[in-house]
Amino acid sequence: MLYREAGDFKTTYGEDSQTFPIRFDRLGYYVTLLVAFGVIPLIINDYWASAVLLPFLIYAIAAIGLNILVGYAGQVSLGTGGFMAVGAYAVYKLMTSFPDVPILIHVLLAGFVTAAVGVLFGLPSLRIKGFYLAVATLAAQFFLVWLFNKVPWFYNYSASGQITVPQSKMLGYYITGPQTSATAKYLFCLIVLVGVAVVARNLTRGTVGRKWMAIRDMDIAAEIIGVNPLNAKLTAFAVSSFFIGIAGALFFAVYLGAAEVTEAFNIQKSFLILFMVIIGGLGSIFGSFAGAAFLVLLPVFLKNVLVGQLGWPTDLAAHLELMIVGALIVAFLIAEPHGMAQLWRLAKEKLRLWPFPH
C-alpha cells in the first residue's frame, strides 16, 4: 500500500531523529532533488526562469528567513523588504569594489551585512513585543528605503539613482549580467536555496531552535528555565536577516539585474513575504516553500488564463487577479489557520491510517 511504515525500523538515535523518518518521504525528497538538478536545467527557458522558477527560489529563501523570526521565535517583523534592500545594496557595493571575487562570496557577505543590520533593529525586541515590535520593524523598512534613496554613496553616485549589477562569472559561467543563461541563474539560486534550507532545518531542530520556540511559547517561563532572551531573540534576528539578505542579493543580482529601491523593495514586498509565511504555515520549513509556491504560481496562472486564454485587458486582469488572490488568502486562513503545512501533515496522517477511521 502507498505510504505505509511497515518495514521502517530504526536501530540508532540518528535514524530515529532524521528529518524524513519514513522511507517513502526520503524517496520523494531524493526524487525531487533529482528532478530539480537533473531534469529542469535541461528543459528550462527564459520565460519559465523569469516568471516562475527564479521568483519561487528567491522568495522561498526570504520566506525561510522570515519564518525563523516569526514562526519559530515569535517575533513580528514588517521590515523584510528593507532587509532585502540591505542585501541588494551590499552585494552591489561588494561586486563593484571587488570584481574578481566570486559572486557566491559576495552573496554570503551581503547576508552577513544584513545580519548585522537585523541585530541592530532587533534590539527593541528585548523591551517590546507584539504590535509595538511590528511598528518598530515597519519603521526600519521605511528608514532603510529612505537611506538607500537619499545617500548617493550606496548607488555609486549614479544620476538615475538606480543600481545595475556588473557581469560576474563563477566556475567559468556567467551568473550575473546580460550574457547569463537561464540554466546558470536557476542552478545558482537552487544551490543557495538548498544550502539555506539545510542550515535552517538543522538550526531549528537543535538547541538554538528549541530556545527560539521556548521564547515564542512563553518568554517568562523560558527565562526561568535558563534561556537567555537577549541571546535567543538577537540570534533569531541575525539568522533571519542573514537569509533575507541573501534573498535580496539574489533578487537584485541574479533576477532583476537593475533595481531602484522604492520600486523593488517597498512595503508591498514585506507584506508579500509575510503572507507567504502565514499561508504556508508558521514554524515550518516546508510551509515556507508551499507559501512561496502559492503566491508565485497563482498570479502567473491567473494571468495566463485571464489574458492569454480569455483575452481580457491587462489592467482589468491585474485588478481581478489581486481580488482573487486576496479572497483566496482570506478563505484559506479561515479554513486552515495553520497554513498549508498543516494540511500536508493531515494528509500524511490520513494516508498512514487509511482505511481505518481513527
Side-chain angles (χ1 to χ4, degrees):
M1 296 295 291
L2 182 65
Y3 205 75
R4 285 296 185 269
E5 298 178 59
D8 280 355
F9 58 90
K10 290 86 178 176
T11 58
T12 64
Y13 286 111
E15 292 178 348
D16 192 52
S17 62
Q18 57 189 334
T19 301
F20 301 104
I22 301 177
R23 186 180 295 112
F24 189 86
D25 287 340
R26 293 197 297 274
L27 178 62
Y29 171 73
Y30 293 133
V31 169
T32 302
L33 287 182
L34 179 63
V35 172
F37 281 98
V39 177
I40 294 180
L42 302 177
I43 60 176
I44 191 175
N45 55 34
D46 290 333
Y47 171 77
W48 279 97
S50 61
V52 177
L53 294 175
L54 289 182
F56 164 69
L57 297 176
I58 295 171
Y59 282 132
I61 296 174
I64 290 174
L66 185 60
N67 211 338
I68 286 177
L69 184 63
V70 178
Y72 285 97
Q75 307 301 302
V76 182
S77 176
L78 296 177
T80 311
F83 294 130
M84 288 183 69
V86 173
Y89 277 80
V91 79
Y92 171 70
K93 294 296 294 185
L94 290 168
M95 292 180 71
T96 53
S97 301
F98 308 99
D100 296 329
V101 178
I103 177 64
L104 181 61
I105 304 299
H106 288 315
V107 170
L108 294 177
L109 289 176
F112 284 113
V113 172
T114 313
V117 176
V119 169
L120 179 63
F121 284 103
L123 289 174
S125 68
L126 304 178
R127 292 292 182 183
I128 59 177
K129 58 184 178 180
F131 175 75
Y132 300 98
L133 182 59
V135 173
T137 55
L138 185 62
Q141 162 75 33
F142 289 115
F143 172 76
L144 291 171
V145 170
W146 172 87
L147 182 67
F148 293 131
N149 195 34
K150 294 298 181 182
V151 180
W153 179 81
F154 288 110
Y155 50 84
N156 286 348
Y157 303 94
S158 171
S160 63
Q162 189 180 63
I163 55 175
T164 304
V165 62
Q167 286 190 339
S168 178
K169 280 186 175 182
M170 185 174 176
L171 301 178
Y173 295 94
Y174 282 104
I175 304 299
T176 63
Q179 300 183 28
T180 309
S181 65
T183 302
K185 292 181 180 180
Y186 166 76
L187 284 176
F188 183 74
C189 292
L190 179 63
I191 291 171
V192 175
L193 173 60
V194 171
V196 165
V198 170
V199 171
R201 177 61 178 167
N202 283 280
L203 281 175
T204 54
R205 296 175 70 221
T207 303
V208 177
R210 289 194 292 270
K211 290 180 179 179
W212 291 342
M213 289 182 278
I215 291 293
R216 175 197 65 190
D217 294 338
M218 187 173 291
D219 52 354
I220 297 177
E223 187 174 3
I224 291 174
I225 64 175
V227 176
N228 187 346
L230 171 66
N231 182 38
K233 291 183 180 181
L234 291 188
T235 52
F237 269 96
V239 174
S240 171
S241 301
F242 176 75
F243 292 156
I244 292 172
I246 288 177
L250 294 177
F251 189 73
F252 156 69
V254 180
Y255 179 56
L256 294 179
E260 201 277 326
V261 65
T262 55
E263 295 180 1
F265 303 104
N266 51 27
I267 187 63
Q268 283 85 357
K269 193 72 65 183
S270 299
F271 283 115
L272 176 64
I273 299 172
L274 181 61
F275 291 154
M276 290 178 182
V277 172
I278 294 174
I279 292 174
L282 293 171
S284 170
I285 302 299
F286 170 78
S288 302
F289 285 92
F294 181 84
L295 287 183
V296 168
L297 297 177
L298 182 61
V300 174
F301 172 76
L302 291 176
K303 183 177 180 180
N304 287 333
V305 171
L306 297 178
V307 179
Q309 301 295 328
L310 301 179
W312 288 16
T314 305
D315 55 346
L316 177 61
H319 287 87
L320 187 61
E321 172 189 320
L322 292 176
M323 296 172 60
I324 294 175
V325 171
L328 286 176
I329 290 174
V330 173
F332 188 86
L333 293 181
I334 292 174
E336 182 48 74
H338 297 289
M340 301 176 72
Q342 178 65 11
L343 291 178
W344 178 247
R345 283 191 291 265
L346 291 175
K348 292 199 297 182
E349 288 296 327
K350 294 294 184 182
L351 283 174
R352 291 164 72 180
L353 295 175
W354 187 86
F356 303 106
H358 57 278

